[in-house]
Amino acid sequence: MKRRLQTVRALPALALAAALLAACAPAQPAATPAPAASAAPAATPAPTASPAATAEPSPTPEPGLDYDEMRSVAVHDAVPSTALEGYFTVSKDGKWGLIRADGTELLPCRADTPVSSCGQHWIWDVTGMSWAEIDELTARLDAGGEPAICGGHGGVQVRFVYDLDAPGRDVHAYDPGALRVYVEPDGPGTFQEITEEMWAAYGDPLPVSTVHEVQETGEDSLYPPSPSEPFYPSDPVVTEMDDGQIIYQYASRAGSLYSPRDVQLAGFFFDEALAPIRLTSGSWAYLGRDSQEPVTDAVYDATYDRTRDPDTGDFTAVPLYAAPLQNGYAAVRRGDAWGLLDSTGAEVIPCAEPGVAWEGTTLWVKDAGGWHRRELP
């Protein structure tokens, strides 16, 4: 599936209108559980393919690209963020820049955190950069047919929920009519019906958390909530079961609800066979579309986007999400060891490499000589 700055295409007209009015400042939602520290790999590994399936590095470029890290570019269009096709954010000596998937540098490594996208432009936060320099770089990007640097024009996120306060909800059984999307620009959002465009863009089934509609004014306020105050999704309502917790579930357009246990954060299927899920252990696994059960062990760590420092609230370069599959593959990480996962859940490149990067079109693998392109196994 092609996903290049997909927010412009995928979101409904109302959300796009909101995007033009909101400040482009993506934030980690309060309702999302704080990411846990990376867990040590479990003793039981995920299934792996034969090492002989790994292709030899291509002869170009030589020497390899001299970056410390290469990650997918996060698009702040949804919770969790989606991953962009055609680009990587790269780091050198703790600073971050942007390249095309073919290795062409677009933005130098100067930002404190990985480059991301608001869905239309690049979020490249460089301390002390003047507007004149931003304009100069934007003109250069524009001349090459690339998106500009985000100047604060707007952005919007969507979050899919099962709304316990939906009008007319059947309180005695699962009611597909209570499925909602919370469309959130930079400020108060709205609960809306999930559109056909959203089902098509983010996949079927969709990850949902069960929430109440809550208002910003609450028990700490001197005044009771007013009907004019905006509503927000509550933290996920957790259901305790004998065999674990139900936190995030997957809801289908046909009306089915799937409830894998202990899913702390759930990724999108898009049109792929697997979706990434973070369990309450803090580690990531990949869930099967058909079985609705994990097809890998929960041994993986996050690989892209950025995390807020819990003390300062500032963004850091610590990754937040495990990558979704793109065109059948995802780069995966166990601690400092990287590999490549296919749509069956097999590590077709075992997690033993110092770096693997894949965004849907181009595979890069790091070795002692830098980053080199490889053919898919």
Side-chain angles (χ1 to χ4, degrees):
M1 179 179 180
K2 304 297 183 184
R3 291 193 289 275
R4 291 173 57 92
L5 297 183
Q6 64 181 21
T7 308
V8 178
R9 299 199 310 266
L11 292 180
L14 177 59
L16 288 177
L20 298 177
L21 300 176
C24 185
Q28 185 177 336
T32 302
S38 296
T44 304
T48 59
S50 168
T54 304
E56 292 299 316
S58 61
T60 56
E62 190 61 53
L65 297 181
D66 185 26
Y67 296 115
D68 297 328
E69 293 187 66
M70 188 181 294
R71 296 184 191 172
S72 295
V73 175
V75 186
H76 299 290
D77 59 341
V79 179
S81 302
T82 58
L84 192 60
E85 184 178 295
Y87 303 88
F88 294 106
T89 181
V90 292
S91 73
K92 184 67 178 176
D93 298 327
K95 298 294 183 179
W96 292 85
L98 180 75
I99 65 173
R100 292 194 190 107
D102 64 6
T104 303
E105 183 176 281
L106 297 177
L107 293 170
C109 293
R110 291 177 52 192
D112 291 331
T113 58
V115 178
S116 55
S117 170
C118 64
Q120 302 175 61
H121 302 138
W122 305 120
I123 302 172
W124 185 57
D125 296 329
V126 176
T127 303
M129 186 169 55
S130 68
W131 282 108
E133 186 176 6
I134 293 175
D135 290 342
E136 179 184 349
L137 284 168
T138 292
R140 191 183 309 166
L141 290 167
D142 186 64
E146 298 290 345
I149 298 170
C150 187
H153 71 91
V156 72
Q157 286 185 329
V158 297
R159 176 183 166 195
F160 299 98
V161 300
Y162 184 75
D163 184 3
L164 293 175
D165 300 314
R169 179 180 72 89
D170 183 351
V171 298
H172 302 291
Y174 167 63
D175 184 351
L179 292 177
R180 293 285 188 273
V181 58
Y182 184 72
V183 180
E184 182 178 23
D186 186 30
T190 56
F191 289 87
Q192 301 177 18
E193 299 288 336
I194 301 175
T195 66
E196 291 295 319
E197 292 81 6
M198 289 176 178
W199 284 108
Y202 295 102
D204 180 6
L206 285 169
V208 299
S209 57
T210 299
V211 301
H212 284 286
E213 297 181 18
V214 297
Q215 291 182 295
E216 192 169 45
T217 54
E219 51 185 45
D220 293 334
S221 174
L222 296 176
Y223 305 98
S226 165
S228 63
E229 292 290 339
F231 282 86
Y232 300 86
S234 69
D235 289 339
V237 176
V238 178
T239 301
E240 299 287 346
M241 308 290 289
D242 291 339
D243 56 349
Q245 296 178 325
I246 297 176
I247 307 172
Y248 274 79
Q249 299 169 281
Y250 281 86
S252 76
R253 184 164 27 181
S256 299
L257 188 68
Y258 307 95
S259 304
R261 299 297 189 262
D262 296 331
V263 178
Q264 187 186 44
L265 188 62
F268 298 107
F269 277 101
F270 301 109
D271 57 359
E272 305 286 350
L274 307 177
I277 53 173
R278 188 174 72 205
L279 303 182
T280 50
S281 66
S283 293
W284 290 82
Y286 283 82
L287 186 75
R289 175 191 293 274
D290 296 327
S291 66
Q292 294 301 324
E293 295 291 337
V295 299
T296 73
D297 295 324
V299 296
Y300 297 113
D301 297 306
T303 60
Y304 78 107
D305 209 343
R306 54 190 187 172
T307 303
R308 285 190 184 275
D309 184 300
D311 297 323
T312 66
D314 296 332
F315 282 113
T316 74
V318 176
L320 181 58
Y321 302 118
L325 266 66
Q326 293 178 275
N327 293 328
Y329 298 89
V332 290
R333 178 175 71 93
R334 303 194 202 188
D336 294 329
W338 290 74
L340 187 72
L341 199 77
D342 73 4
S343 60
T344 70
E347 289 180 6
V348 291
I349 297 179
C351 281
E353 305 290 346
V356 172
W358 167 257
E359 44 53 78
T361 69
T362 309
L363 175 65
W364 292 83
V365 179
K366 187 180 183 182
D367 58 27
W371 290 87
H372 297 84
R373 288 193 219 180
R374 285 194 190 181
E375 297 298 323
L376 285 170

